[in-house]
Amino acid sequence: MIVGPLLARFGCGYIPKPGGDKIGRRRLDTHFEGFINLGAKFRYEREDHFYGVEIKGRLKGAHMLLDEASVTGTANIVMAAVLAEGITTIYNAACEPYLQQLCKMLNSMGAKITGVGSNLLTIEGVEKLGGCEHRILPDMIEIGSWIGLAAMTRSEITIKNVSWDNLGVIPSVFRKLGITLERKGDDIYIPAHTKGYTVKTDIDGSILTIADAPWPGFTPDLLSIVLVVATQANGDVLIHQKMFESRLFFVDKLIDMGAKIMLCDPHRAVVMGHNFQSQLKATVMSSPDIRAGISLLIAALSAKGTSTIQNIEQIDRGYERIDERLRALGANIVRV
């Protein structure tokens, strides 16, 4: 994410190949093709896994159609384009609330971006940016994780200051699982689901399908949480992970715990809910990525016995002081 600003300010930016979650291929082509459209030259050192972009002089505005609506790709291109000479148009731009916030902040700093919130951004380049004050959004993925946690442990929880207007379809997807959510000002109140939660079928009675999609569709980062919550629902759910290749492979750990899940292929899993008639069993497991990690943690908190989760740095990357905050809610959790 620093390559775009480095390129705009200093005419060059270099990074080693980034790491991240083990959820399949994480291509960077959208980022660098955007920089190339703005006039930069791309360099890749295959032996060292080293990426670089360079330009002599100033970036030039251009029209581009992104090959995918990449959130970080759009953000990187936007941060470079605001200091480019001329007008840049980005079609098929990502429009997640976080991208909207970045654009609003850049405008507060002196940038000229229009079309914010749509998939067509128009950017008139400026000479320089200045300072500003900006309050960032709460993390909608963390909010969704707490909703799942409340449902699975049948706990009464209030989540404060959630920015309801920026949650999109997240509340309605959890309601489809039968989870009760009440809006109280800008807070979410989740009552204790002592009698469980019943999945709502489609209008024609067919199995409920929950699939991810670019915004304003359902975020892929919450599919893992929805999947684990569905293991104790009253009813069946088809989870369809369209956007990443290997994100559902963590379900074998839930199956070890006693969940009834049929992995159809790398992208689809059918979850047959226990309706709390059979409690998950504790086990030892390892977290492959942030969202699978929090899902396994939610499963462990609802399970009978003591579970051990390894590779927790994956969880820590997305959930600050998670053990302390869960203990404050009454969880029996220890960091070893």
Side-chain angles (χ1 to χ4, degrees), residues 150-212:
M152 273 289 277
T153 59
R154 293 193 275 190
S155 305
E156 180 185 16
I157 293 178
T158 298
I159 309 170
K160 304 287 287 182
N161 304 318
V162 299
S163 188
W164 265 90
D165 295 338
N166 288 293
L167 290 178
V169 299
I170 291 171
S172 63
V173 169
F174 281 106
R175 285 177 176 138
K176 286 179 181 178
L177 288 174
I179 296 166
T180 301
L181 306 175
E182 294 178 24
R183 181 171 184 170
K184 294 188 174 182
D186 207 26
D187 303 340
I188 294 177
Y189 169 70
I190 302 126
H193 288 72
T194 52
K195 295 182 180 178
Y197 40 93
T198 300
V199 174
K200 295 175 175 61
T201 60
D202 286 344
I203 292 173
D204 62 359
S206 59
I207 185 172
L208 174 67
T209 299
I210 298 177
D212 59 339

Side-chain angles (χ1 to χ4, degrees), residues 237-254:
V237 182
L238 172 62
I239 304 293
H240 193 169
Q241 169 59 267
K242 298 177 180 178
M243 295 172 67
F244 294 97
E245 298 163 357
S246 310
R247 207 163 199 173
L248 293 182
F249 289 158
F250 80 101
V251 301
D252 60 344
K253 300 169 181 67
L254 295 175

